Every structure is written in C-alpha cells, then in structure tokens.
C-alpha cells in the first residue's frame, strides 16, 4: 500500500481547488446568513490551507471577500 505525500507549503493552490473553496463559501451563504461560528470556521480552514499551499495574495483576498459578500455559485462552479 502506498504512502500519501504530506502537504507542504511549496505546493501551489491550483485554480480548481481554489474555485472549490469559493463554491463552499457560496453554499454557506445560501441561507442568507453567514453566522459568526461559520465565519470563524472558514477563517481557520483558510489559515490551515495557507499552511499547506502557497496561496497568492489575490487568492487570500478573494476568500476573505467571499466571506463578506456572497458570490454566485453558478459562475464559480464551472471552474
């Protein structure tokens, strides 16, 4: 049985995975309210994501903005 490779901070967060996280945030906004606990959970997840991947400043900014302003999942999903 093969060993999985650990994530390291020299990996790039590719466009597909980035879009998946943006879609996940959009789903969290689906009820019209992003609760404080949801936002805190996402912020922790994104901090951990930043430890596992080299994220661009633009990616970090997009995820932070998505927490504040819901995005259209229909636009994000094809990515």
């Amino acid at each position: 049985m093969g060993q999985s490779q650990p994530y390291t901070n020299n990996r790039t967060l590719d466009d597909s995975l980035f879009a998946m996280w943006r879609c996940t945030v959009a789903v969290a906004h689906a009820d019209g309210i992003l609760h404080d606990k949801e936002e805190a959970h996402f912020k922790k997840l994104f901090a951990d994501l930043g430890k596992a991947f080299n994220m661009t400043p633009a990616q970090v900014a997009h995820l932070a903005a998505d927490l504040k302003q819901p995005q259209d999942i229909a636009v994000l999903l094809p990515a």
Side-chain angles (χ1 to χ4, degrees):
M1 186 175 274
Q3 294 283 334
S4 62
Q5 294 294 333
Y7 288 131
T8 61
N9 62 357
N10 63 356
R11 292 181 56 177
T12 300
L13 182 64
D14 66 40
D15 292 340
S16 178
L17 186 56
F18 176 61
M20 183 215 59
W21 280 109
R22 292 191 74 201
C23 286
T24 304
V25 174
V27 169
H29 280 287
D31 64 356
I33 301 168
L34 187 68
H35 297 280
D36 291 342
K37 286 184 179 184
E38 291 174 309
E39 185 174 354
H41 184 71
F42 274 115
K43 286 180 178 180
K44 181 180 180 335
L45 285 172
F46 296 154
D48 290 344
L49 194 65
K51 292 175 187 174
F53 294 92
N54 284 331
M55 294 173 60
T56 68
Q59 287 173 325
V60 172
H62 275 294
L63 292 173
D66 289 352
L67 289 173
K68 301 297 180 197
Q69 180 66 39
Q71 302 299 308
D72 185 351
I73 195 167
V75 172
L76 299 173
L77 195 55

